[in-house]
Each structure stands twice: as C-alpha cells, then as structure tokens.
Amino acid sequence: MKHILTSILALGVLTSYAQNPAPARPQERAIALTGATIHVGNGQVIQNGVVVFDKGVITAIGDGSTPTAGSEVISVSGKHVYPGIISPASTVGLQEIGAVKATVDKQEIGELNPNIRALIAYNTDSEIIPTIRNNGVLLTQAMPQGGTVSGSSSVMMTDGWNWEDAVLKKDDGIWVNWPSYFARNFNFEDFSLTIQKNEKRTEAMSALLATFAEAKGYLAMQNPTPTNLKFESMRGVFSGKQNLYVRADYSKDIIEAVKFAKSLAIPKIVIVGGEESHKVATFLKENNVPVILGELHRLPNREDEDVDMPYRQPGILQKAGVLVGLSYADGWWRTRNLAFQAGTAAGFGVTDKEEALKMVTSNNAKILGIDNLVGTLEKGKQATLFVSAGDALDMRTNVVEQVFIQGRKVNLDDRHKRLYKTYKDKYEQK
C-alpha cells in the first residue's frame, strides 16, 4: 500500500508541475507573413516570399509583390516558413511515461481488434505534444498497437482542448501487424539481438486470413443481420476510403502482405517500418505501394548491412519512384526530432533538401489522404505552418519562433523551456 501511495504522489507531482498553455483562439483577422524564404513543401522555394491567410485558410502566396492589404503584416525577413511537419505512425497522445502503466493507452487486449479507435484515447493534455510542436511537428497520426489487427488510426492536430477539437481526419486506416517468418528477441543483459523462427506465425496467419475473408463476405451482403461491429469497422478498407497500414520489415513479408491485399481487392495498402523495403523497391513501385519508414537514426539490424543503410534507404526508394514518408514509429517523445531525420536523408542520397522535406510534409499528407488540406503551402489549403529562424531540417538552426495551426497562433511554451529557464536561473545565481 505504501508503494502504491508513493507512486500516486509521484505521478501527481509530475502532472501538477506545470500546465500546458491553453489552446489557441480562432484566427480573428487576416495575417500576412512577409520577407521570408518560403518552403512550399512540393519542392518549390520562394525567396523574399509572402504568405497570407484568413479564417484558417491560405488566401495568397507568392513573392514580395503579393498583395497584403487589409492584413496584419508580420515581418519575418531572413527567416524560413514551412508547412507543418506531419508525423505518421505515432503514439504521441496515447502514452506519456513509458514506465507508468496508467499513462499508456496505445493498445487493447486481444489479437483481432479492427473496431478499436485510437482517436478517443488521444490526450490533448499530454506534456509531450507542446515539445514536438516546438520543432514544427503540427500534425500527428494517433496509431494503435498490439495484436494482429490493432484498430484504426486518426490524424490529429497538436492543438485543441480535447480529441474532438484536435482531430483532422477520423479513422483514416486499419493497422495490421504482419505475422513474420522470424521473431526477434532482445537480451537486456548483454544487449544482444537474436533472430529465430516465429513459432506462432501459422496460427496468426490463419486468424488474419479468416478475419479478412469473413469481413469481405459480410460486407458484400446487403443489410447484413445481425450487425457485426468488427466487420463494419473494416468497410472503408475494402471501399478505398481507408488505408490498410501493414507493419512489415522483412522483404519476403512485404511482398506477401502486398499480394494479400491485392488478392482481396483492397485498393490502398501502405507498408510501415519497411526495414528491407529497399530490397523490393521495384516491386513496390510496380504495385504503387507507398512506404512509411521507421526510425533512421539507428544501426542496421543485420550484421552484413552497411552501417549507413538506414540513412541511405529513403534515397534508394525515392530514386526507384516509391512514395516515401518518414516517421519515428514507437519513439513517441522523440517525434520532435522527425525533421532532423529528413535532414539526415538529404545528406545520404535523397536528391536535395526540398525532396527530403517532402518526406515529412507533402508525401506524408498524400499517404494519409490529407493532401487536399495540408502538406504544402498553397492557396485554399489550411494555414498550418511555422516560422523557423533557420533551416528546419538542421538541429543547429531549427529554432521555431511562430506556429499557426488552421490560422490560430499557438503558444510555444512547453515543459522543456520551463525547465531550461529554471536551471538557467539557478546556475546564473552568484
């Protein structure tokens, strides 16, 4: 009992240390950002540019001659304006402190849960959200985990009082953990990784195949009775309104997963993780399958691979014509470093920095099906953007000074800044 009380008190101290800033108010008047280098997000760069937005929507963008009459003009001369960075395949908002079970809500019990919605678990009061926002990550995909079929994800804004305020696109896709031929075991004593045959694969594959086959048969019926909520939640996958996100790393698993989706006439499949996707790049291109890569800042998982293969992989896929997005996968609090992964990709094979920027903006928007709203700075799209003092893909110069989400100017206070100020004051005292 003593330990339980201690844990509760400790959690109380953590959560009551400071409050996140209140969500931004709706945009009240037109705003024009002038004099900046504008990175449109589609490969185009506008020097000494102007972007004007009103009521949360971009109304004009161009060079210095773009009209700004009637707008509140904010000079950002010498700085850089970017579309909001989009973090797919994320558990931001679904977990806070990995070691405190009560703050982790990213999966449900059971193996086949297509009806589970990550949307309603998204915690807008998370202390992590403001920290990723301060590096330009303004949209995140709340992704369920666990089991063979994990549930549905939703695309969320990093500002809002609750999940209803924060949601941009509900239930954008169903998530599947592809049963691999191999299982990885990590030894925490000597930090070694061993790969062995997955003894549970046959059982998991049988259940997965049966679930999708039954769902397709059920959805082919008119007015099926009784209603099956699990199968109803998969309707969008078969109609093309939702993506089928498949976590698969080995090349053989990737090919098998794509053929599985094709055999069921599932229109949209996305490979997530894809550690060996570069080995099947031609196959992915031929089948028009995009890839969301996981963490790049890591060592390769095979001893015979080049040490810089994770860095070079986005460039290999890009040159093969595959639509590539970048994510931080399970590193929820490290999501703030997503832009720097794009910077790394630019230095290891991606043709240029603007192409690397697309991998965390417009490419991710296309994959998630939100490119009509965000991902690039274009007239008619939402004014979800940020101003950086320097190159946002470089950790040395990424200093985010202003953030706008749907035109709302967001307070950039966060726990990191508060702690920095606290200890700066402490060590400056005589």
Side-chain angles (χ1 to χ4, degrees):
M1 185 69 181
K2 179 179 178 182
H3 294 298
I4 294 174
L5 289 173
T6 302
S7 298
I8 292 172
L9 288 171
L11 183 58
V13 169
L14 285 170
T15 55
S16 64
Y17 179 83
Q19 295 297 317
N20 285 342
R25 296 177 181 274
Q27 185 180 0
E28 295 179 351
R29 61 174 300 187
I31 293 173
L33 302 177
T34 64
T37 299
I38 298 176
H39 303 263
V40 178
N42 59 3
Q44 182 184 5
V45 178
I46 303 173
Q47 301 294 340
N48 189 30
V50 175
V51 57
V52 185
F53 50 95
D54 189 19
K55 297 178 182 178
V57 176
I58 296 173
T59 56
I61 184 167
D63 57 22
S65 63
T66 303
T68 60
S71 305
E72 176 190 351
V73 177
I74 302 174
S75 175
V76 287
S77 180
K79 304 185 188 303
H80 297 257
V81 176
Y82 292 89
I85 291 169
I86 303 167
S87 169
S90 173
T91 56
V92 169
L94 303 181
Q95 61 178 331
E96 194 74 3
I97 305 168
V100 181
K101 191 174 181 179
T103 70
V104 179
D105 193 9
K106 62 182 181 178
Q107 67 183 66
E108 291 290 339
I109 296 171
E111 290 297 313
L112 303 168
N113 295 309
N115 53 308
I116 296 301
R117 304 173 75 204
L119 170 72
I120 58 174
Y122 186 77
N123 175 25
T124 53
D125 292 325
S126 168
E127 288 269 17
I128 293 168
I129 291 174
T131 69
I132 70 170
R133 196 166 59 204
N134 260 297
N135 271 8
V137 181
L138 308 187
L139 294 160
T140 183
Q141 183 189 38
M143 166 195 68
Q145 292 185 328
T148 304
V149 182
S150 306
S152 67
S153 57
S154 292
V155 182
M156 316 297 290
M157 295 175 284
T158 56
D159 183 63
W161 288 104
N162 46 50
W163 69 260
E164 292 95 334
D165 290 343
V167 65
L168 181 69
K169 184 177 182 180
K170 295 181 181 179
D171 304 320
D172 66 285
I174 298 291
W175 287 74
V176 168
N177 291 307
W178 192 257
S180 176
Y181 286 93
F182 303 103
R184 290 173 177 167
N185 294 310
F186 187 77
N187 189 327
F188 287 94
E189 292 184 1
D190 60 5
F191 300 102
S192 62
L193 181 70
T194 57
I195 299 175
Q196 61 188 41
K197 181 180 178 181
N198 181 5
E199 301 292 347
K200 298 180 180 179
R201 183 180 190 276
T202 302
E203 180 183 350
M205 277 301 302
S206 297
L208 178 63
L209 294 171
T211 298
F212 273 81
E214 290 172 15
K216 185 171 184 177
Y218 169 88
L219 295 171
M221 295 189 291
Q222 290 186 350
N223 303 317
T225 304
T227 300
N228 187 312
L229 296 180
K230 284 183 181 287
F231 295 158
E232 286 290 343
S233 67
M234 300 170 68
R235 190 177 291 276
V237 169
F238 288 97
S239 69
K241 291 183 179 180
Q242 290 179 303
N243 289 332
L244 177 64
Y245 296 100
V246 179
R247 298 186 188 93
D249 286 321
Y250 295 110
S251 55
K252 188 173 182 179
D253 293 337
I254 292 170
I255 292 172
E256 194 175 56
V258 173
K259 289 182 176 179
F260 162 79
K262 296 291 182 182
S263 70
L264 292 169
I266 293 174
K268 298 178 181 177
I269 177 174
V270 179
I271 297 298
V272 182
E275 288 181 9
E276 292 186 359
S277 56
H278 58 283
K279 296 181 179 180
V280 290
T282 302
F283 172 82
L284 293 169
K285 170 61 177 175
E286 289 173 351
N287 287 277
N288 196 30
V289 176
V291 176
I292 297 175
L293 294 174
E295 183 181 352
L296 302 187
H297 295 157
R298 60 175 176 84
L299 292 172
N301 287 318
R302 286 182 176 271
E303 292 182 355
D304 57 347
E305 277 188 343
D306 294 340
V307 71
D308 61 352
M309 178 52 72
Y311 300 168
R312 293 194 288 114
Q313 192 178 28
I316 295 171
L317 291 169
Q318 179 219 7
K319 290 170 184 174
V322 178
L323 182 61
V324 185
L326 301 181
S327 76
Y328 238 103
D330 296 337
W332 72 105
W333 54 271
R334 290 181 295 165
T335 297
R336 65 180 183 268
N337 295 326
L338 182 56
F340 309 144
Q341 288 205 145
T344 298
F348 284 84
V350 174
T351 49
D352 58 53
K353 274 200 171 181
E354 297 308 312
E355 286 296 318
L357 176 65
K358 288 166 64 174
M359 293 181 180
V360 291
T361 54
S362 58
N363 284 11
N364 279 343
K366 289 175 184 175
I367 293 170
L368 302 185
I370 54 174
D371 53 310
N372 62 320
L373 301 173
V374 293
T376 56
L377 301 178
E378 297 179 81
K379 184 177 179 180
K381 290 194 177 183
Q382 294 182 2
T384 297
L385 51 90
F386 67 95
V387 179
S388 173
D391 181 355
L393 306 191
D394 189 333
M395 63 180 296
R396 297 167 298 182
T397 55
N398 179 325
V399 180
V400 174
E401 297 182 346
Q402 297 184 65
V403 162
F404 298 88
I405 297 179
Q406 291 184 334
R408 306 186 301 270
K409 188 170 184 178
V410 180
N411 187 325
L412 291 180
D413 183 36
D414 68 21
R415 188 168 186 173
H416 288 177
K417 289 182 176 178
R418 295 192 296 266
L419 289 173
Y420 171 80
K421 184 179 184 305
T422 297
Y423 288 99
K424 182 173 182 291
D425 292 344
K426 173 182 176 181
Y427 290 111
E428 283 181 348
Q429 292 176 5
K430 294 182 180 180

